Amino acid sequence: MNRGGKMTLTELQGLIRDKIYESLPGSFWVIAEIASLKTQGPGHCYLELTGSEIPGGRITARARATIWASRYLSLSTFFNASTGIPLRAGITVLFKATVEYHELYGLSLNISDIDPSYTAGDMALRRETIIRRLTAEGVISMNRELTLPHYPRNIAVISSSKAAGYEDFMNHLSHNPYGYVFAPVLFEAVMQGEATEASVTEALNMISEQAELFDAVVIIRGGGSTTDLSWFDSYEIAFHVTQFPLPVLTGIGHEKDVSVTDMVAWRSLKTPTAVADFLVEQTAECENRIIEMAGALTEAATDTIAAAEEHLASLQNRTAATARLIIRVRSDNLNYHAETLRRSGKSVIRAAAEKTEKQETALRHLDPAGVMRRGFTLTSRNGLIVHSATDLQPGDSITTHFEKGKVMSTVKEINSKK
């Protein structure tokens, strides 16, 4: 209504609405990222959409959108079945919508259809982009280059304590058929939804700070559908795994699904139960290797002992033979020396006897009795033999001994001859 060029706000909003409907008739196929999504009331879905000039770039547009209950159930079911993920925040969608304008609520989009093939392609492109980035950075295989201990006993587990998969993992690990003892420690984390990335990376950081306490890390998501697997197509989680100082084992997928996190892990297994079985089998292989080494060591020791015993017996035989030879040679030498000694003894004795006989003959000639028989006498004074006239003085009493008898006399005069 014209009031001298003035109009009410309602009139202005109505004019805007009419111009929009006039300029934008029909429906449009639009690409946008879902910033937030929530359902209310009888099943209506309310979304906040954002747009950018390039994927992942700065947000340059924002709009509200609605999927009415009459369309939401069929659209969300079809989208989930086609892409393997639910309609949720963080994904890019191609949707068909009409432009709506309300005087109280402003501009919004009324979504009537969604093309799931675009989202699947976009997710595949994002996934490929992450893989190419990790490859270009040279880190995609870093965790696989680590060495898993032969007996990985101390296990850091990243999972939700309420997940059925976590319970399965613990049961298989604790009740293994070999009776091996493991020491798992749970690091609680959100395993689906928008908080997954931040929660898992925070758990990895916590474990990294005490990495010396653990042998390996296990990331297990638990059972359920594959709709939440895409949360692990995350650059942040994957990069953390590549840089981790311990081998990381994953059990977050299913038979046909492999996430980027699985690709960079030290070993990817299909289920939490499979991860537990792998740890048990690793330990069993370690035990078998120890048994084989013990057997080989025992065999080698037995062979060494047998060879040593054989060598010792040979040495004993050679020693006995050598000893007998030495004894025989020494015995021969001893006999020779004994015979030589006997011959030498006889000669010495004979020579000594001849010498003794000569000495006896000489002594017989020197015997005073013999001398006196030849006419010689002995003179003594006070029982002592007198050798020289100078030993006497006039008046001494002397005794002269003859072969037969003796004469006592007194010295009257001494005549010394020089």
Side-chain angles (χ1 to χ4, degrees), residues 10-257:
T10 301
E11 290 172 336
L12 178 59
Q13 291 282 51
L15 179 61
I16 294 173
R17 179 197 61 205
D18 293 340
K19 291 298 184 182
I20 288 175
Y21 288 161
E22 179 181 339
S23 301
L24 302 172
S27 301
F28 300 89
W29 284 97
V30 182
I31 299 172
E33 181 176 331
I34 300 176
S36 66
L37 180 151
K38 60 182 178 179
T39 57
Q40 289 182 351
H44 302 313
C45 178
Y46 300 95
L47 308 92
E48 182 178 0
L49 306 173
T50 58
S52 58
E53 296 297 331
I54 58 174
R58 183 175 63 87
I59 295 175
T60 55
R62 191 182 300 273
R64 292 181 296 107
T66 304
I67 307 176
W68 301 116
S70 59
R71 298 288 297 162
Y72 178 65
L73 180 59
S74 60
L75 285 180
S76 62
T77 301
F78 179 66
F79 184 87
N80 196 333
S82 301
T83 63
I85 62 171
L87 275 173
R88 59 171 173 79
I91 62 174
T92 302
V93 292
L94 172 61
F95 59 90
K96 183 179 182 181
T98 57
V99 179
E100 303 287 342
Y101 191 87
H102 193 278
E103 290 84 344
L104 291 177
Y105 306 112
L107 182 71
S108 67
L109 302 175
N110 181 19
I111 297 176
S112 58
D113 198 2
I114 298 177
D115 183 358
S117 62
Y118 180 87
T119 301
D122 180 71
M123 291 180 63
L125 179 60
R126 290 190 181 189
R127 173 189 169 93
E128 183 63 26
T129 300
I130 293 173
I131 295 172
R132 288 183 179 180
R133 180 178 176 184
L134 293 169
T135 302
E137 292 171 349
V139 300
I140 196 165
S141 63
M142 284 183 65
N143 196 257
R144 294 195 296 272
E145 295 171 0
L146 300 177
T147 300
L148 183 71
H150 296 303
Y151 177 16
R153 179 176 182 273
N154 300 297
I155 311 299
V157 183
I158 299 177
S159 183
S160 169
S161 60
K162 300 178 182 179
Y166 172 69
E167 295 179 1
D168 292 341
F169 172 81
M170 292 298 292
N171 286 333
H172 266 67
L173 208 59
S174 302
H175 302 97
N176 64 84
Y178 305 99
Y180 299 140
V181 177
F182 295 89
V185 177
L186 175 65
F187 289 81
E188 187 80 31
V190 176
M191 303 305 288
Q192 63 183 39
E194 296 180 22
T196 301
E197 182 177 270
S199 183
V200 172
T201 54
E202 181 181 0
L204 286 169
N205 290 334
M206 292 175 62
I207 298 169
S208 178
E209 293 173 357
Q210 47 189 319
E212 69 280 359
L213 301 179
F214 300 101
D215 300 316
V217 177
V218 169
I219 302 176
I220 49 178
R221 186 171 67 96
S225 66
T226 62
T227 57
D228 298 314
L229 183 64
S230 61
W231 295 111
F232 290 90
D233 284 330
S234 160
Y235 172 79
E236 289 300 325
I237 295 178
F239 185 78
H240 271 67
V241 170
T242 64
Q243 301 300 299
F244 210 72
L246 298 173
V248 177
L249 286 72
T250 59
I252 57 179
H254 292 267
E255 292 298 326
K256 297 181 180 179
D257 303 300

